[in-house]
Amino acid sequence: MDKRSFLKSTAVLGAAALVMPGMLLTPKDAQANALESLGKGPFKLPKLPYGYDAFEATIDKQTMELHHTGHHQAYVDNLNDAVKGTPAEALTVEAILKNIKKYKDVVRNNAGGHWNHTFWWETITPEKTTLIGGLNDALKKKWTSVDLMKAEFTKAALGQFGSGWAWLCVDSAKQLFITSTPNQDNPLMDFPGIIKGTPILALDVWEHAYYLKYHEKRRDYVTNFWNIVNWNVVEQRYQEAIAGKEKK
Ligand code: MN3
């Protein structure tokens, strides 16, 4: 290949690598987008405390990377766009969620998406953690055994038709309960149809969270999820919830 045709083919490849709307992002494109959008509004994509390949046995690297730099980044960007020039720009996500009825659907979907994913990254860990302490006792008191709690949670995760989330929460009477929400709704939202509570554990059951590895087998994904739960974080959230501490 001479220099001219080399340059020509490189230019064609360069054009093909541009991200067009609706195209499936490669991890590299998604990362470039993520870097480019940093600092463009009050809401930021959190850095993860582990590598994208940290969960290979449960969640593959490509899914982790696209989920973080593609999907979560999009919720952050869309939320920043949606609140631009409004008083919500100065609020925390929690404050927006608490009064979500005041906002348009675009804020609800993207504030929910941003909060839910931030919560989700903190819910999982590649390190082995053990369920001990006050939450362990409370789960057994409520469900007789931790396995029965997991069974009810799995039912909620599988029963959520289409995209959504399954949640383990603490209610205002400090009691544990399990629920699910569609789309990017969550139990912090003051919205008709949502059972309100303080989430302590969540599972993303959107297909984007598991489809590359599990395809239609959502049950296998839910079963494997228990291997990566960060019980230290879930215990801490439980203790804060029963102490009445919540983020403003
Ligand atoms: Mn997701």
Side-chain angles (χ1 to χ4, degrees), residues 32 34 37 57 67 69 109 111 129 146 148 185 197 211 214 224 227 240:
S37 70
H67 204 173
T69 60
N109 291 333
T129 62
V146 174
L148 286 176
D185 288 353
Y211 199 84
Y214 295 93
N224 287 352
N227 299 330
E240 286 173 5

Side-chain angles (χ1 to χ4, degrees), residues 22 45 49 55 74 81 88 119 128 143 145-146 157 173 178 182 190 199 219 223 228 231-232 235:
L45 184 70
F55 301 96
D81 282 350
F119 187 85
K128 182 96 188 108
W143 280 278
S145 74
V146 174
I178 285 167
D190 183 18
R219 180 184 289 277
T223 302
I228 61 170
W231 288 114
N232 297 340
E235 172 77 36

Side-chain angles (χ1 to χ4, degrees), residues 22 56 71 77 106 149 162 165 175 189 222:
E56 280 294 346
H71 295 277
D77 291 345
V106 66
M149 179 281 290
W165 292 75
Q175 297 301 303
M189 291 179 176
V222 179

Side-chain angles (χ1 to χ4, degrees), residues 65-84:
E65 190 159 6
L66 289 171
H67 204 173
H68 184 238
T69 60
H71 295 277
H72 190 171
Q73 181 71 58
Y75 296 119
V76 170
D77 291 345
N78 293 336
L79 178 60
N80 281 329
D81 282 350
V83 299
K84 205 170 184 180

